Amino acid sequence: MRANAFTIGASLGAIALACGIMPASGQTRADERLVFLPYVGIDQVVTAPIRGGGDVLTYTNLSAGFTAEVNNRRVEALADVQYNHSFGWGGQAPDQDVLSGIVNARYHVARGLSLEAGGFATRIRSDGLSGATPLNDSYTSQVYSGYVGPSYTTKVGVLDVSASYRLGYTRVEDDVSVALPGAPSGGSYDDALSHILTGSVGFSPGTLLPVGLVASGGYVREDPSQLDQRFEDVWGRVDATLPVTPTVALVGGIGYEEISISQRSPLLAGNGTPLIVNGRYVTDESSPRALIYDQDGLIWDAGVLWRPSRRTALEARVGERYGGMTYQGSFTWQGRDSSFGVAVFDGIDSFGRVINANVAALSGNLDVVRNPFTGNITGCAFSTTGGGQCFNDGLSGITDANFRYRGVAAQYSRRRGPWGWGLGAGYSQRKFITPRTDAVIIRGSSDENWYGNGSVTYTINDNSSLESVVYVNYFDASGGRTDTLNYGGFTSYYRGITRRLSASASVGVDGVKADDIDTIISAMGQLGLRYSF
């Protein structure tokens, strides 16, 4: 696992280098903004049981990482990457590696043409306590996801033309445990490669006609390695926008879509049960590809668009897709030093596509909050420019199955003077699309997830600051798996000692309640030093 963590770290670093995050020789332009801050650190962490029994555990964490920001005429990039190794004291405190980070970059190749790339890495629980905070003494899995691809926009007369392609990859490296009911026993995610190709051409209202028209199309394919799965989605549609007042327009679209999901059968053991190695099915390569989902036909939606100002937009649509009614919408507000957004979503998705889309949606100035006791990224990355994302919903209940994904997500971020605030909350439901003979997840069953994350930062002076974080996540599992409630919070104090050396101190509490175990509440403390180069 340690070698893999270094490999992932190298790949995230390569993304940063390719997109211009690392300083190049000869960069002396006065208008460039370039910040690259590598560091090393050491922390002493203690966890003690408040409720539920257990031992007092002590860890020494060694970390290395960097933060970076580039903003100039050609490059816009942000990065926060850290590798952390925990040395456990005693047999009850196992060693652990954590690689976590976010990289987001855009390189403007030429007028209208840009190359975009991004990456995300973190660790999650793999002991059946879905959605719970990964602590040093829990079974965890390394997750990472990345994408790269070009996008192009131009005008041809009065026509707006755009096209984009995104190559994505997502992988989960498991330390699988079946000690708890509901832990992975064969349906664990492995890795997947995805392709997303989209294009559109159209004109705005009032150019050629009173109504604006846009013709668009796309192709999505994902190839997860588990059971040689394949997801394909081909669609095309025409959308219209009809202004009825200076701030309100009627919107709607109609088109055609074809979605198919297929996979091969698992190899069977001598007793007729699926063969499982390292928590995953072994694929029977000689088995025929079975079609487990096939949906095609007319798609349509209609709704309203309200834009009272450049800072505010509301859109709501109702329509028919995926063989039934769909409801989608969004509201965004952008202030001078704050942002707020709500999205209602409905689609056919997978773990890999959800996480990869979350990574691709990141933009702007990101406030990445880390757990001071493990170095891991917590649920949300906040942004006052509206480009933040919450990852804890997508990371809850990792599965190899595709699912109908519906829910609502909201995020608020603000920075004013020495204060900074961030709040993320949401709800989602995953209704699974699986073979009727699947032994791990029952076809048509569904999981539900509620989550909330909040953070407050306060800059005391140039040398010291405070940060407090609270979180809650409730995962309602199906198929006899474990329902899990996780809650907690922590407060950290940071103090600069010299220009390069800083110290930190943190206290926190974490609670977990599951169906088949007693409530576990742990108190945590941390003292650390960091040296920046």
Side-chain angles (χ1 to χ4, degrees):
M1 182 62 71
R2 190 179 310 172
N4 288 334
F6 279 119
T7 301
I8 304 166
S11 65
L12 285 176
I15 292 176
L17 179 62
C19 296
I21 291 179
M22 303 300 183
S25 59
Q27 285 184 324
T28 58
R29 290 171 52 96
D31 59 344
E32 288 184 341
R33 174 171 174 77
L34 172 61
V35 177
F36 179 65
L37 185 66
Y39 61 84
V40 294
I42 182 170
D43 298 86
Q44 193 66 34
V45 175
V46 176
T47 66
I50 299 177
R51 181 178 177 182
D55 300 318
V56 176
L57 303 178
T58 304
Y59 296 88
T60 298
N61 297 330
L62 297 182
S63 60
F66 68 89
T67 59
E69 180 183 357
V70 177
N71 195 339
N72 57 43
R73 185 172 59 89
R74 285 194 175 273
V75 180
E76 302 169 23
L78 287 168
D80 188 324
V81 178
Q82 183 184 105
Y83 168 73
N84 183 91
H85 180 79
S86 297
F87 295 92
W89 292 24
Q92 300 300 316
D95 290 4
Q96 187 177 85
D97 297 284
V98 175
L99 178 78
S100 58
I102 290 176
V103 175
N104 179 262
R106 173 179 294 181
Y107 177 71
H108 299 278
V109 180
R111 183 180 180 86
L113 177 64
S114 62
L115 178 65
E116 300 176 15
F120 171 77
T122 192
R123 291 193 76 87
I124 55 95
R125 299 282 289 247
S126 56
D127 55 5
L129 299 179
S130 298
T133 304
L135 299 176
N136 299 74
D137 59 334
S138 59
Y139 284 90
T140 60
S141 299
Q142 180 71 51
V143 177
Y144 57 100
S145 183
Y147 76 96
V148 64
S151 63
Y152 180 69
T153 60
T154 189
K155 289 188 72 72
V156 180
V158 298
L159 297 179
D160 299 307
V161 180
S162 66
S164 67
Y165 167 74
R166 190 171 82 212
L167 174 66
Y169 179 75
T170 301
R171 181 175 178 81
V172 177
E173 294 184 341
D174 287 322
D175 296 336
V176 176
S177 166
V178 293
L180 292 175
S185 60
S188 180
Y189 195 88
D190 191 358
D191 65 350
L193 190 69
S194 62
H195 309 266
I196 301 177
L197 179 65
T198 60
S200 67
V201 57
F203 55 87
S204 302
T207 52
L208 294 178
L209 297 170
V211 61
L213 294 175
V214 177
S216 59
Y219 173 71
V220 180
R221 173 166 171 165
E222 184 184 37
D223 293 278
S225 59
Q226 179 83 166
L227 296 180
D228 193 19
Q229 295 180 60
R230 182 179 299 166
F231 170 90
E232 288 187 291
D233 181 4
V234 183
W235 59 271
R237 57 181 291 155
V238 176
D239 284 271
T241 303
L242 177 62
V244 293
T245 73
T247 61
V248 177
L250 300 179
V251 294
I254 189 170
Y256 178 85
E257 182 176 39
E258 181 177 353
I259 301 177
S260 64
I261 304 173
S262 62
Q263 67 181 47
R264 301 190 189 278
S265 300
L267 195 65
L268 300 181
N271 58 1
T273 60
L275 185 62
I276 297 172
V277 176
N278 295 328
R280 298 183 176 94
Y281 292 121
V282 177
T283 305
D284 184 356
E285 301 292 349
S286 64
S287 64
R289 181 171 293 278
L291 192 63
I292 63 174
Y293 183 85
D294 187 15
Q295 177 71 44
D296 65 277
L298 194 69
I299 59 174
W300 65 269
D301 55 59
V304 61
L305 174 64
W306 177 54
R307 287 183 178 170
S309 69
R310 291 181 299 175
R311 293 185 173 187
T312 306
L314 170 68
E315 184 172 4
R317 295 191 182 220
V318 60
E320 186 172 2
R321 195 176 181 183
Y322 316 122
M325 298 299 293
T326 62
Y327 305 90
Q328 299 185 71
S330 65
F331 174 79
T332 59
W333 175 78
Q334 180 63 60
R336 184 180 62 179
D337 50 14
S338 58
S339 68
F340 175 72
V342 180
V344 178
F345 54 88
D346 186 350
I348 301 294
D349 245 311
S350 70
F351 167 74
R353 297 198 300 279
V354 168
I355 294 301
N356 211 256
N358 287 345
V359 177
L362 291 168
S363 64
N365 57 330
L366 297 175
D367 180 13
V368 180
V369 181
R370 293 183 177 275
N371 186 315
F373 312 106
T374 64
N376 202 37
I377 293 177
T378 59
C380 299
F382 296 106
S383 172
T384 56
T385 57
Q389 286 289 315
C390 289
F391 288 91
N392 45 345
D393 181 61
L395 293 169
S396 297
I398 292 178
T399 173
D400 63 327
N402 284 268
F403 44 80
R404 180 78 176 269
Y405 190 42
R406 289 176 282 198
V408 58
Q411 192 172 108
Y412 171 75
S413 182
R414 179 179 176 86
R415 182 163 291 280
R416 190 72 175 270
W419 291 95
W421 295 271
L423 179 64
Y427 162 81
S428 69
Q429 181 195 73
R430 301 167 178 84
K431 188 173 183 179
F432 297 107
I433 303 168
T434 66
R436 297 189 183 277
T437 57
D438 194 298
V440 176
I441 293 178
I442 301 171
R443 182 183 181 91
S445 63
S446 61
D447 292 345
E448 294 181 298
N449 193 65
W450 291 261
Y451 68 92
N453 290 78
S455 70
V456 178
T457 59
Y458 178 70
T459 303
I460 301 172
N461 53 46
D462 291 341
N463 294 320
S464 58
S465 64
L466 285 169
E467 179 180 66
S468 294
V469 172
V470 294
Y471 54 86
V472 62
N473 198 96
Y474 178 67
F475 184 77
D476 186 358
S478 62
R481 292 172 296 143
T482 303
D483 298 343
T484 304
L485 172 66
N486 179 220
Y487 53 89
F490 54 82
T491 296
S492 300
Y493 173 71
Y494 302 94
R495 174 75 181 184
I497 300 174
T498 68
R499 188 169 66 92
R500 296 185 182 275
L501 184 66
S502 61
S504 62
S506 306
V507 293
V509 64
D510 182 84
V512 177
K513 175 67 177 75
D515 288 341
D516 300 291
I517 62 173
D518 295 331
T519 300
I520 300 173
I521 301 178
S522 302
M524 300 167 288
Q526 175 263 356
L527 292 173
L529 292 172
R530 173 181 291 188
Y531 184 83
S532 302
F533 296 94

